[in-house]
Amino acid sequence: MENTSTPVNITINGRELKVDEGTSILQAARQHGIYIPTLCHHEALSDYGGCRLCVVEIDGAPKLSASCVTPVRSGMTVVTENERITESRRTIVEFLFAERNHNCMFCPRSGNCELQRLAYELKMDHLTVSFSYKKFPSDITSPYMAMDHNRCILCGRCVRACTEIAGSHVLAFHHRGPKTMIGMDLQEERSHSTCLNCGVCLQVCPTGAIYNRLRSHYFVKGREHVCEKITTFCPLCGLMCPTDLLISNNQLIQVDGHLSRANGQPNQGQLCCKGRFQVFRSPAGRLLHPLVRKEDGDWVVANWQEALFLTVEKMKAIQVQKGEKALFGLASPMLPMEELILFRELMEKGLNAGYLDTFDGQHFRNLKGTFYGGAIPIRETSWKQVGKSDFILIAGGNPETSQPLLQSIFRRRFMETELRTGLISSLDDVPSFVTDFIHVPSNHLAELLRALLAEVDHLCKKEKQAGKTIGSSGSFPLLAGMGISRDAKSAFTSIARSIAEAENPLVIVDTSLTGMADSNSLNGVIDLARRITPSSKSEPNLLILKPEGNSAGAWKTGMVAQKVPDQADCLKGGLLLMGDESSMGEDILARIHAAEFLAVITPYAHKFLMDRAHVLIPKPTWLEADGTYMSLDGLEQLFRKKTIAPPEGVWATREILSAMGEQIDLKVSSKQEGLFKKRSDPLV
Amino acid sequence: MGKPKIATVWLEGCAGCHMSFLDLDEVLIDILHQVELTVSPVTDYKDYCFPKVDLGIIEGGIGNEEQLEIVRHLRRQAKIIMTWGDCAVFGGINTLRNWIPKTEVLERGYVTSESTVNGVVPIHAEIPRLLDQVIAVNHVIAVDVYIPGCPPDPEVIAYSLTEILNGRLPVLPGEMIHFD
Ligand code: SF4
Ligand code: SF4
Ligand code: SF4
Ligand code: FES
């Protein structure tokens, strides 16, 4: 809104106020600390005017008006509270209770419900109308959210959030009159719908109609007002979304995004399924004591000193026996920088390890193996460009697995600004926001990218000559041999044109491409990004998605091996593995199976570790430790404080690594910041 | 004039409201000194031919014909009727069966439940018939005081009783109302 709007004089409850033209009565009242109850209104959403809880009296008119959708008018006199208004509000709440099943004693939202709170506030101590007892279905097909239509008050917040914030348009009102229900797509169940399980509907729902299946009743674990609210961020991917965590009794109860606060992030406070729901899942049983494997193969509980001593002694013995480079270290790129740096020091300086890597090291090496990675560092632009670019080209595949939230941003931007997004992929998974898709076998990807570059060049030249774009470069013959369909050819032209015409296009490299040792394609895509970047910019319009939460941070510590030993004789000696809760899966089996001695520092006792390891050392989860994480573009680093305490007796990771260091007279550095201070350094 | 007389009845409910009443601790003794408790589950008085009372207190929703009769009779005998708890005020947790046809409820309870062998739905002149739906007390008789809560906190119960003893009809302030 322009600041040129003239102030308007109005009177609310006898107070004379000056407010900007165009504000609603509700906004004006809130700006001046005057309370008006609301139900369908939500700060982060457009106004709907459906519930009429916010009614006020204007100029003594007999008909009350909904203040959330009534703009102020000069000279207006507003009354927000009198008997008639309260009566009207109480009647509405009574009807809402009578309409569906609001027996709070078995509702997971009780004690933390906006409808219930309003009933209390309006002193609704009984109903004057009778209940309808109409049965509505519930949908428990999603593992994350349950939807009980019997508690829905049809406020439409979820519908607006799904459209306006998630850009998903999954939710809508279905049926009419008393049969009205919130439905998904064409009346699908949630699990069969196009729902992304981002949970923004759950966060805005004022009642218990949508609730989190991965936590229990508020009554059991703590209601919102007895919980501690911690403002932090989600470290599960490089977007580092700001979050509010609710904690009660040292337990995580709820994760909320900053919907109502302008946070400058292109995701507008939305979270993804990982950050909102998957954090509640444990991948395996929690490891609470160090475990040591006996000669006969059985596990025994060991004390900390014993287990750490044994690990270091064993490592040293292997080194003596097998020579210099017989020790290895492997760490999760989900871990914070501090832990990774200590790990590196211990392994490199202390134990003279032959090889140190992260789970995602291959991505780093593939990038390093490109012309740019090798000769000139690869610079990247800020990930926040996804909110500003006017054309986006994704090379590789659906960014869903690594950065799930990007989908929502693209979908929303498509609805708002008709943002076009191209995808070039050898996979068939085409997310719904993609406007132009080229399916290309991976062995032709590099060629295709070259052809695209030529086409863009051609179009730009033409543009300069004739003042407009025309024709094609004749790169079509090139496409002929690549097994590209007719449709894809028009997508090719469309992508080239969009790039040529865009003022601020962006090239995104997905992890499915960096995961392949295909330096030609990677070179091609980096070339393309450099070509489309205006010369005035210091960084190319290039964003490389990273596989894990702190991949960028891990890469910046310099701990990722530049070269790895042959698969055949990899990691045969002693291996120290440091894991986290979410990225450590059986896919690392191939890298650890040959180890002669395997010690693991991990929060969870995964089955595959119980089968193979020799020593298991517990560690805190990310919620239980503090640490610094880096955004996926490597441009931002944030420190998060410890949220809850680890289980009793479990040492902090830093204590574990320092204790191991002391045993070999290694003083691990206490001052760590210097190691990753130069923020603008390229990652690769 | 003697002490004010009170009758309390326990209809379709879990006795939680009466437990909350007993949970008043010392306050209970004070209150009992001031009133005469006539018919009540607490006095184990099983005859529902109440005397005239000043205050009739009802816990529980109305689910069968006997309960219907009890509340009607109590209304006639009591000057003030107070409902305790969500069941009496709204129908409460008992209304879960209102979403299911009565015959199905009876079948499930007496015949198809897993532990039942050769079950039949009992019919006998002495067994009160189930109503089609559980109803809140104020949908059958006039109620003067509403104390929702599942159960209401002892403090809220104490408040309601002391207000009445002091000659006022209590209306709960917002912070004393709760539905769970
Ligand atoms: S949604 Fe709110 S009002 Fe409805 S039953 Fe749950 S807590 Fe009670
Ligand atoms: S599900 Fe929740 S947010 Fe959606 S309309 Fe119903 S009450 Fe409102
Ligand atoms: S997008 Fe990334 S940072 Fe945001 S909630 Fe999801 S995993 Fe966490
Ligand atoms: S908040 Fe204004 S109508 Fe619902």
Side-chain angles (χ1 to χ4, degrees):
Chain A
M1 211 187 295
E2 305 104 88
N3 274 333
T4 51
S5 64
T6 37
V8 174
N9 292 313
I10 60 166
T11 313
I12 301 184
N13 298 346
R15 271 173 69 188
E16 289 187 10
L17 309 172
K18 244 189 204 3
V19 290
D20 283 343
E21 201 179 357
T23 43
S24 66
I25 297 175
L26 177 67
Q27 275 173 318
R30 294 217 166 147
Q31 278 163 17
H32 291 90
I34 300 169
Y35 173 73
I36 299 176
T38 54
L39 205 44
C40 69
H41 167 85
H42 188 285
E43 277 168 284
L45 304 172
S46 66
D47 275 310
Y48 168 60
C51 73
R52 306 198 68 82
L53 243 301
C54 67
V55 286
V56 293
E57 200 178 88
I58 300 173
D59 298 332
K63 201 169 149 278
L64 301 176
S65 309
S67 62
C68 66
V69 287
T70 310
V72 292
R73 179 173 29 79
S74 177
M76 182 183 247
T77 307
V78 177
V79 175
T80 65
E81 207 90 66
N82 62 26
E83 209 168 300
R84 183 161 81 102
I85 295 171
T86 308
E87 196 49 45
S88 161
R89 289 176 185 156
R90 191 188 305 118
T91 307
I92 292 166
V93 174
E94 272 195 44
F95 276 123
L96 290 174
F97 270 77
E99 185 92 24
R100 300 206 178 176
N101 182 352
H102 292 284
N103 278 300
C104 302
M105 71 291 277
F106 47 80
C107 176
R109 195 64 193 265
S110 192
N112 183 29
C113 166
E114 290 181 39
L115 176 65
Q116 191 189 54
R117 194 182 54 71
L118 283 170
Y120 296 171
E121 190 181 296
L122 294 162
K123 304 205 182 75
M124 190 200 85
D125 61 2
H126 68 286
L127 287 199
T128 52
V129 292
S130 43
F131 294 88
S132 93
Y133 297 122
K134 208 195 321 278
K135 194 170 181 172
F136 286 87
S138 13
D139 179 350
I140 49 165
T141 58
S142 153
Y144 307 107
M145 278 173 279
M147 170 109 197
D148 188 345
H149 296 277
N150 296 289
R151 296 198 194 101
C152 172
I153 56 167
L154 302 172
C155 68
R157 281 196 198 175
C158 55
V159 176
R160 280 171 285 149
C162 186
T163 303
E164 295 166 17
I165 296 174
S168 291
H169 292 266
V170 177
L171 299 177
F173 289 104
H174 290 200
H175 309 297
R176 289 286 175 275
K179 292 191 181 141
T180 309
M181 254 175 66
I182 300 299
M184 280 160 225
D185 292 339
L186 299 170
Q187 290 167 33
E188 305 289 341
E189 291 174 323
R190 201 187 277 273
S191 62
H192 289 110
S193 72
T194 50
C195 167
L196 300 172
N197 280 307
C198 75
V200 72
C201 53
L202 175 139
Q203 184 173 337
V204 299
C205 180
T207 70
I210 309 180
Y211 58 94
N212 188 344
R213 296 189 65 187
L214 298 175
R215 45 154 295 169
S216 67
H217 207 292
Y218 282 78
F219 194 79
V220 180
K221 285 197 178 161
R223 291 170 173 178
E224 201 159 308
H225 65 273
V226 299
C227 286
E228 192 189 351
K229 184 160 156 187
I230 295 178
T231 297
T232 173
F233 64 92
C234 167
L236 299 187
C237 92
L239 304 190
M240 306 200 295
C241 300
T243 54
D244 284 330
L245 306 182
L246 288 190
I247 307 294
S248 164
N249 279 325
N250 203 40
Q251 238 180 11
L252 180 65
I253 300 288
Q254 188 175 319
V255 185
D256 280 333
H258 290 188
L259 291 181
S260 310
R261 287 171 251 172
N263 58 16
Q265 299 250 51
N267 55 340
Q268 298 188 343
Q270 196 201 352
L271 303 179
C272 75
C273 183
K274 263 203 269 190
R276 193 189 299 274
F277 296 113
Q278 288 171 14
V279 291
F280 290 98
R281 286 217 164 132
S282 309
R286 193 71 199 265
L287 188 62
L288 295 171
H289 310 280
L291 295 177
V292 172
R293 197 191 282 283
K294 287 190 299 185
E295 298 275 292
D296 63 6
D298 284 350
W299 286 103
V300 283
V301 173
N303 73 31
W304 283 85
Q305 283 80 3
E306 214 182 312
L308 296 178
F309 180 79
L310 189 122
T311 304
V312 175
E313 284 307 304
K314 189 77 191 171
M315 291 280 194
K316 286 201 305 205
I318 290 177
Q319 205 165 38
V320 171
Q321 198 187 352
K322 300 240 155 146
E324 274 284 276
K325 305 281 175 189
L327 298 183
F328 310 102
L330 194 55
S332 159
M334 296 287 293
L335 300 171
M337 317 273 292
E338 290 83 350
E339 293 182 12
L340 291 170
I341 289 166
L342 273 184
F343 185 77
R344 177 186 178 191
E345 271 188 65
L346 173 74
M347 292 310 288
E348 249 173 26
K349 283 204 218 139
L351 290 164
N352 197 17
Y355 154 61
L356 213 56
D357 201 8
T358 53
F359 300 167
D360 66 346
Q362 196 53 43
H363 294 259
F364 176 82
R365 283 184 289 279
N366 291 340
L367 283 163
K368 246 337 197 200
T370 60
F371 168 72
Y372 292 102
I376 335 164
I378 305 174
R379 289 188 177 276
E380 287 178 65
T381 188
S382 157
W383 77 268
K384 289 175 186 163
Q385 286 299 323
V386 299
K388 297 181 195 138
S389 302
D390 50 359
F391 180 75
I392 286 171
L393 176 67
I394 303 173
N398 188 347
E400 183 180 7
T401 32
S402 55
Q403 270 79 32
L405 206 49
L406 290 181
Q407 300 187 74
S408 296
I409 299 176
F410 295 149
R411 271 158 82 146
R412 200 186 64 236
R413 292 212 50 215
F414 175 76
M415 300 309 298
E416 284 171 7
T417 64
E418 291 180 29
L419 171 77
R420 297 189 73 80
T421 311
L423 172 66
I424 301 180
S425 170
S426 62
L427 311 165
D428 276 324
D429 178 13
V430 189
S432 59
F433 58 81
V434 168
T435 52
D436 300 291
F437 172 58
I438 308 179
H439 179 272
V440 60
S442 38
N443 56 339
H444 287 301
L445 184 57
E447 253 175 292
L448 178 81
L449 287 163
R450 269 207 306 281
L452 189 60
L453 184 58
E455 180 79 8
V456 171
D457 263 337
H458 172 79
L459 287 174
C460 291
K461 255 185 233 135
K462 272 270 159 67
E463 192 168 8
K464 259 189 209 139
Q465 282 164 13
K468 57 184 169 115
T469 57
I470 30 157
S472 154
S473 68
S475 34
F476 278 151
L478 259 173
L479 301 181
M482 300 183 199
I484 285 179
S485 72
R486 248 178 97 114
D487 279 355
K489 277 184 191 158
S490 65
F492 177 86
T493 321
S494 166
I495 291 177
R497 249 173 218 280
S498 302
I499 295 180
E501 284 165 13
E503 269 164 28
N504 190 19
L506 175 67
V507 172
I508 295 181
V509 184
D510 174 59
T511 51
S512 54
L513 185 53
T514 54
M516 288 191 294
D518 178 1
S519 58
N520 284 337
S521 298
L522 285 170
N523 276 330
V525 77
I526 298 168
D527 268 336
L528 185 64
R530 297 170 77 98
R531 171 65 186 75
I532 64 170
T533 306
S535 48
S536 57
K537 284 184 128 185
S538 56
E539 286 135 8
N541 288 352
L542 172 71
L543 180 65
I544 300 172
L545 301 186
K546 308 295 182 307
E548 297 295 346
N550 197 27
S551 286
W555 296 5
K556 213 162 199 174
T557 60
M559 70 173 287
V560 184
Q562 305 281 336
K563 260 214 182 89
V564 291
D566 255 351
Q567 273 295 325
D569 56 12
C570 77
L571 312 178
K572 270 203 177 137
L575 172 60
L576 183 64
L577 182 68
M578 187 158 80
D580 67 291
E581 51 266 46
S582 47
S583 73
M584 192 153 75
E586 296 201 18
D587 45 343
I588 55 169
L589 260 177
R591 306 180 71 178
I592 62 170
H593 77 279
E596 191 176 305
F597 172 76
L598 174 62
V600 192
I601 307 174
T602 167
Y604 291 99
H606 296 266
K607 165 105 182 28
F608 72 98
L609 294 177
M610 297 296 287
D611 289 348
R612 276 161 220 267
H614 301 91
V615 179
L616 289 176
I617 299 157
K619 104 187 248 318
T621 64
W622 64 265
L623 276 170
E624 296 160 0
D626 56 16
T628 306
Y629 297 82
M630 194 164 273
S631 63
L632 82 153
D633 47 27
L635 298 175
E636 250 180 290
Q637 54 186 31
L638 292 179
F639 177 78
R640 68 177 301 285
K641 285 198 212 140
K642 180 158 117 177
T643 313
I644 54 177
E648 209 181 312
V650 171
W651 289 15
T653 311
R654 270 173 263 191
E655 284 169 351
I656 299 171
L657 296 173
S658 310
M660 289 170 83
E662 269 161 34
Q663 212 174 313
I664 36 178
D665 291 327
L666 173 74
K667 274 272 164 287
V668 284
S669 53
S670 54
K671 209 175 131 277
Q672 298 174 330
E673 296 90 273
L675 290 161
F676 46 91
K677 209 161 57 194
K678 277 180 267 155
R679 288 178 176 219
S680 54
D681 279 356
L683 292 173
V684 181
Chain B
M1 205 183 101
K3 293 180 192 168
K5 290 197 175 85
I6 295 184
T8 80
V9 294
W10 166 22
L11 308 180
E12 209 164 284
C14 68
C17 301
H18 276 90
M19 293 300 163
S20 241
F21 170 56
L22 296 180
D23 207 13
L24 286 176
D25 302 332
E26 319 85 73
V27 182
L28 181 62
I29 298 169
D30 290 347
I31 288 177
L32 286 180
H33 276 308
Q34 298 175 53
V35 300
E36 184 187 329
L37 198 57
T38 62
V39 174
S40 169
V42 181
T43 55
D44 206 17
Y45 193 115
K46 291 204 177 65
D47 184 357
Y48 279 119
C49 297
F50 320 125
K52 286 271 179 206
V53 291
D54 297 284
L55 174 62
I57 296 172
I58 302 173
E59 167 190 333
I62 304 166
N64 65 29
E65 287 175 351
E66 183 194 31
Q67 290 161 348
L68 203 57
E69 243 171 71
I70 292 173
V71 293
R72 285 194 175 133
H73 182 60
L74 185 59
R75 178 69 274 189
R76 282 192 294 270
Q77 300 297 85
K79 288 191 195 135
I80 300 170
I81 290 283
M82 168 151 76
T83 44
W84 272 353
D86 282 3
C87 299
V89 172
F90 298 113
I93 201 156
N94 313 291
T95 59
L96 262 185
R97 79 162 168 93
N98 291 3
W99 276 269
I100 305 163
K102 183 172 78 175
T103 43
E104 247 176 68
V105 173
L106 288 168
E107 280 284 309
R108 180 74 188 129
Y110 289 102
V111 185
T112 61
S113 59
E114 284 68 13
S115 56
T116 306
V117 185
N118 300 332
V120 282
V121 177
I123 305 171
H124 190 277
E126 300 228 326
I127 302 176
R129 276 220 303 261
L130 218 54
L131 302 179
D132 286 343
Q133 292 195 322
V134 178
I135 22 186
V137 173
N138 71 329
H139 290 219
V140 175
I141 59 165
V143 172
D144 305 297
V145 182
Y146 300 92
I147 310 293
C150 188
D153 285 340
E155 300 79 63
V156 180
I157 296 219
Y159 173 83
S160 69
L161 287 170
T162 28
E163 283 288 291
I164 292 177
L165 288 175
N166 288 316
R168 291 185 291 265
L169 273 192
V171 176
L172 290 188
E175 60 282 4
M176 280 205 185
I177 301 180
H178 65 103
F179 303 153
D180 56 4

